[in-house]
Amino acid sequence: MTAVLCRHFGLKHIEIAEDIASDTFLKASEHWAMNGVPDNPAAWLYTVAKNKTKDYFKHISVFETQIRPALKPGEHEKEKELEFSDQIIADSQLAMIFTVCNPNNPPEGQICLALQILCGFSVEEIANAFLTKKETIKKRLQRARTNLRNDNFRIRLISETEIRSRLDTVLKTLYLLFNEGYFSKTNNQLIRKELCSEAVRLALLLTENLLTDTPQTNALLALMCFQSSRLEARTNHKGETVLFEAQDKSLWDKSLIEKGNYYLVNATNGNEISTYHLEAGIAYWHTASTGEKKWPHILQLYNQLILIEYSQITALNRIFAFAQVYGREKAIPEAEKLNLSESNYYHELLGYLYAELDIDKAVDHYKQAINLTRSKTEKQTLSKEIERLKEKNGR
């Protein structure tokens, strides 16, 4: 909705489009609570948004004094009728993704802005995705929005060169969007399926466009499909985390695994191996029914991934795979070399590694992880594991 409205207002006045979209959903929450959800909710929302836009053009003097003079002759007349057809919505979203990811802003600013505008992320959610402070994100967003307003960007068709130069940032944005859904650090929810679904939908849009249907795009979509296939099995009926080894494989979505295989094959139509290729390969082996034979392949892929793009999470995941291949005892010194004492994931990993070797140390690490995480669901899962270990130890 915001993307289509910005075709009329231009990104210089993006706040107007966002306000109309917000008002539309506010009206829906009030009207639907009294009268029930309409048969076609999307059509109802778009109709209200269209009417609110018409009212704005009629009654708000800002349009006459600030926007109209900036429009080129005939431009307003050409776009006077606001439409929300499927094609316009898809085209607007795709165009807006690439317009927001503008090189006039640094990459971090582009991604922050895209996550907020296109994905509805809060400042806290963006801060979690970047593992940084909220104040830092607020400053990035303010600078990025100012740059867009000052340059008066409009949603439009952009050149092939511009698309190719911005695609990496767009893919990174979708990657972070999916990750926040797959392992959420906010709202006391471990999984936010709506974010995973939105990331997949936007990635599909990219594969349907000749200029953006690249091996990297297909690799990212393959990764999303493989990961999404296990969403139903990652929590139990109480909302508690179910570790990979204990997941009910009958709950895995085989159709999504097949789609993952399809897009992974498509991703091989080139010579480049990206981080998305390697992560999709890791996710593929997780869904493959090869038992313990899969872990050497997974470890090999992590070894390649960490050389291309180091991150704390990749390093910790690699240690987990290392433990599956060489045993927990050999993995412990490898993990301790990382010395990520401020990370809850680090202590969770050490808790897991010590669980069969030294229960007291395992419990101590799990307690440190509980103190470091902000996720209520994660705290509950770790507390449950501590109780299990204490019972095992006869306490």
Side-chain angles (χ1 to χ4, degrees):
M1 188 179 291
T2 302
V4 176
L5 290 170
C6 278
R7 290 171 73 101
H8 288 251
F9 294 108
L11 286 176
K12 183 177 181 180
H13 303 280
I14 189 172
E15 286 84 0
I16 298 170
E18 290 177 320
D19 286 346
I20 290 175
S22 295
D23 286 346
T24 298
F25 280 91
L26 177 60
K27 183 171 182 178
S29 67
E30 295 169 347
H31 189 272
W32 295 359
M34 298 290 293
N35 303 285
V37 179
D39 293 336
N40 191 335
W44 191 97
L45 289 166
Y46 290 138
T47 299
V48 171
K50 187 184 295 187
N51 290 336
K52 283 184 175 292
T53 303
K54 288 179 179 177
D55 289 342
Y56 177 84
F57 281 125
K58 282 180 184 177
H59 302 113
I60 305 298
S61 62
V62 173
F63 173 71
E64 295 297 333
T65 59
Q66 297 182 25
I67 299 179
R68 187 187 288 278
L71 294 175
K72 295 176 182 177
E75 188 173 355
H76 172 59
E77 287 74 14
K78 181 175 64 176
E79 290 192 347
K80 188 173 182 180
E81 184 57 37
L82 179 61
E83 289 186 56
F84 281 101
S85 68
D86 290 343
Q87 188 61 48
I88 286 179
I89 292 169
D91 289 347
S92 298
Q93 287 176 311
L94 198 59
M96 190 165 183
I97 291 173
F98 283 91
T99 305
V100 169
C101 294
N102 192 286
N104 278 19
N105 281 317
E108 306 83 36
Q110 296 174 41
I111 295 171
C112 287
L113 201 58
L115 287 172
Q116 185 184 60
I117 294 172
L118 297 169
C119 310
F121 271 36
S122 66
V123 171
E124 182 183 2
E125 288 168 331
I126 299 172
N128 286 332
F130 277 92
L131 301 177
T132 191
K133 297 178 180 178
K134 288 194 290 184
E135 286 305 315
T136 302
I137 298 301
K138 285 180 181 178
K139 290 177 182 177
R140 283 184 192 171
L141 287 169
Q142 187 176 14
R143 286 193 296 266
R145 281 178 175 265
T146 300
N147 286 341
L148 286 185
R149 278 195 298 269
N150 291 344
D151 289 323
N152 198 21
F153 285 117
R154 294 187 63 80
I155 292 186
R156 56 182 173 80
L157 293 175
I158 57 179
S159 69
E160 180 176 344
T161 302
E162 288 176 308
I163 286 176
R164 296 195 188 284
S165 68
R166 301 178 191 187
L167 183 57
D168 284 348
T169 303
V170 171
L171 295 179
K172 182 68 171 179
T173 300
L174 299 187
Y175 176 81
L176 291 174
L177 170 61
F178 184 86
N179 278 358
E180 174 58 24
Y182 190 75
F183 198 93
S184 179
K185 304 173 193 67
T186 53
N187 296 332
N188 290 325
Q189 291 177 273
L190 176 67
I191 297 172
R192 298 175 65 186
K193 294 177 185 176
E194 77 281 2
L195 297 185
C196 292
S197 177
E198 180 68 1
V200 170
R201 188 184 66 79
L202 292 172
L204 273 170
L205 274 180
L206 295 179
T207 63
E208 292 166 359
N209 184 291
L210 289 175
L211 294 178
T212 55
D213 185 24
T214 66
Q216 276 198 64
T217 303
N218 280 273
L220 176 58
L221 186 51
L223 169 62
M224 291 178 179
C225 288
F226 286 134
Q227 299 289 62
S228 296
S229 71
R230 297 190 287 113
L231 286 177
E232 294 297 329
R234 290 187 63 230
T235 55
N236 60 22
H237 65 283
K238 296 180 181 178
E240 299 169 333
T241 306
V242 179
L243 298 177
F244 177 79
E245 298 93 332
Q247 288 177 11
D248 181 356
K249 293 179 175 57
S250 68
L251 295 177
W252 291 4
D253 190 326
K254 293 181 176 58
S255 66
L256 278 173
I257 294 174
E258 290 171 2
K259 287 178 181 176
N261 291 332
Y262 171 79
Y263 289 112
L264 188 56
V265 170
N266 285 352
T268 62
N269 295 329
N271 299 320
E272 182 183 4
I273 297 179
S274 66
T275 57
Y276 304 123
H277 284 83
L278 296 173
E279 289 196 47
I282 292 168
Y284 160 79
W285 280 110
H286 274 89
T287 59
S289 56
T290 55
E292 296 305 309
K293 295 179 181 178
K294 72 178 73 174
W295 288 107
H297 296 289
I298 292 173
L299 179 59
Q300 184 181 22
L301 289 167
Y302 270 124
N303 289 339
Q304 295 178 59
L305 180 61
I306 207 165
L307 290 174
I308 295 177
E309 185 176 277
Y310 178 87
S311 73
Q312 292 182 6
I313 295 299
T314 299
L316 293 169
N317 287 338
R318 179 193 167 274
I319 298 297
F320 181 84
F322 184 95
Q324 305 308 309
V325 177
Y326 298 108
R328 299 189 189 196
E329 191 169 358
K330 290 183 178 179
I332 288 172
E334 293 292 317
E336 290 176 339
K337 284 178 189 176
L338 299 175
N339 193 29
L340 301 172
S341 57
E342 298 302 312
S343 166
N344 59 294
Y345 303 120
Y346 172 73
H347 290 291
E348 286 177 39
L349 175 63
L350 282 172
Y352 167 80
L353 295 176
Y354 273 114
E356 293 183 356
L357 303 169
D358 188 328
I359 288 179
D360 287 337
K361 284 189 176 181
V363 169
D364 181 59
H365 280 293
Y366 279 138
K367 285 180 178 179
Q368 291 185 67
I370 288 173
N371 291 333
L372 289 168
T373 185
R374 288 180 290 173
S375 168
K376 182 180 177 181
T377 304
E378 206 168 356
K379 288 178 186 287
Q380 291 172 341
T381 300
L382 293 171
S383 297
K384 189 175 179 180
E385 183 63 13
I386 288 173
E387 290 304 313
R388 186 189 71 80
L389 289 175
K390 286 182 176 179
E391 288 177 12
K392 183 180 177 180
N393 209 26
R395 295 183 182 177

